[in-house]
Amino acid sequence: MFANNLKYLREKHNMDQLDLAIKLGRKSSSSVSEWEKGKYTPKIGVLNDIAEIFGVSITDLMNKDLSLETESRDSLVRIYDNLQPDRQRVVYETAEQQYNEQNNVVELPTNNEVEIYGAVSAGTGEYLLDGKPELVEYDGDVPAHDFAVVVNGDSMLPLFDDKQIIFVKKTTEVRSGQIVIADYDQQAFVKKYVSDESGSRFVSLNKKYDDMPIDGNHESSIFGVVVL
């Protein structure tokens, strides 16, 4: 891969073999010629110099087919430049969406519409996070969040009302006293997480509901912390 990349980069930068050799402090092009024929690979110090000359990383220089990467990028730019403005906008928005998904960027709705990923129970337990989100109108400021759900039930009164939309940040690391979305015996709840000398448990704010102990008799995990 190095031999092909070296020749590609040299020709891309309009250098002949002697030009590159001189930049590397050599008097003849024989070494460059042998590198491009694949007879041997230069030492790490020379590889670093070559990478700096062409503005690439040593890893890419040794492992990637740089000609394909550049040709793909150039082809994309050429196609984009020949599209009509409305089609260019579609390409840009699609690329931006892919970039945000790749880097886990959460875009907050600008029109107070919220994607609801199902319901969590303040009573019997339910969860629909893996389902298709439902877009609903939200009357209020939308905080930064990873997903939103609807509360079903009254066990978290007076903090959360039945059918209230709540926003959640994904995490598995929580502190005692935080309000969490938790999976408990394969059903999901919104509860207060408590851990003290009596053990760990999920607690309802409405005292008519019993605590849910976190122990070997129950399967439990935490999806995230509710944004308050």
Side-chain angles (χ1 to χ4, degrees):
M1 191 65 69
F2 167 73
N4 292 334
N5 281 338
L6 180 62
K7 182 178 180 180
Y8 167 74
L9 291 169
R10 177 178 60 77
E11 293 178 344
K12 179 183 177 183
H13 288 77
N14 298 315
M15 293 184 194
D16 58 30
Q17 291 181 341
L18 182 58
D19 291 333
L20 179 56
I22 292 173
K23 286 182 177 293
L24 293 170
R26 297 169 183 264
K27 295 181 179 181
S28 74
S29 62
S30 58
S31 292
V32 176
S33 176
E34 291 178 345
W35 297 338
E36 291 186 357
K37 290 177 182 178
K39 289 186 176 181
Y40 70 93
T41 302
K43 295 180 179 180
I44 187 63
V46 179
L47 286 173
N48 186 65
D49 291 340
I50 293 172
E52 288 187 358
I53 288 171
F54 295 121
V56 298
S57 69
I58 292 181
T59 299
D60 289 352
L61 182 64
M62 300 300 295
N63 299 297
K64 282 187 178 181
D65 188 339
L66 298 177
S67 64
L68 291 179
E69 185 175 289
T70 302
E71 287 172 5
S72 297
R73 182 169 56 249
D74 291 345
S75 295
L76 180 61
V77 172
R78 184 170 59 255
I79 291 171
Y80 178 86
D81 288 342
N82 284 281
L83 289 174
Q84 295 177 350
D86 57 335
R87 296 182 183 274
Q88 288 180 337
R89 170 56 58 181
V90 172
V91 171
Y92 176 81
E93 291 176 348
T94 301
E96 184 178 42
Q97 178 183 356
Q98 292 296 314
Y99 174 82
N100 288 340
E101 290 177 0
Q102 171 184 291
N103 293 281
N104 296 319
V105 176
V106 178
E107 292 187 352
L108 300 181
T110 58
N111 56 355
N112 279 358
E113 289 184 332
V114 176
E115 289 185 338
I116 302 298
Y117 284 79
V120 290
S121 179
T124 59
E126 58 184 303
Y127 202 59
L128 301 174
L129 181 60
D130 293 330
K132 184 178 180 180
E134 177 186 4
L135 194 64
V136 302
E137 292 288 338
Y138 180 75
D139 184 16
D141 295 330
V142 178
H145 65 285
D146 292 315
F147 63 92
V149 289
V150 173
V151 174
N152 280 345
D154 63 355
S155 76
M156 293 302 286
L157 288 173
L159 184 60
F160 300 134
D161 295 322
D162 182 35
K163 306 307 179 187
Q164 180 175 341
I165 295 173
I166 57 177
F167 302 93
V168 185
K169 294 289 290 184
K170 290 182 181 179
T171 182
T172 57
E173 298 181 1
V174 298
R175 302 186 307 274
S176 181
Q178 289 185 302
I179 306 299
V180 301
I181 303 298
D183 181 277
Y184 193 82
D185 290 340
Q186 300 181 353
Q187 296 186 23
F189 296 82
V190 52
K191 297 292 179 183
K192 181 180 180 180
Y193 171 74
V194 175
S195 182
D196 54 25
E197 64 277 1
S198 299
S200 298
R201 57 202 180 276
F202 297 122
V203 176
S204 299
L205 300 184
N206 187 336
K207 295 308 178 183
K208 76 176 184 179
Y209 291 89
D210 294 332
D211 292 350
M212 300 161 59
I214 302 173
D215 54 30
N217 297 320
H218 301 277
E219 295 181 8
S220 63
S221 61
I222 291 175
F223 292 109
V225 174
V226 177
V227 179
L228 298 177

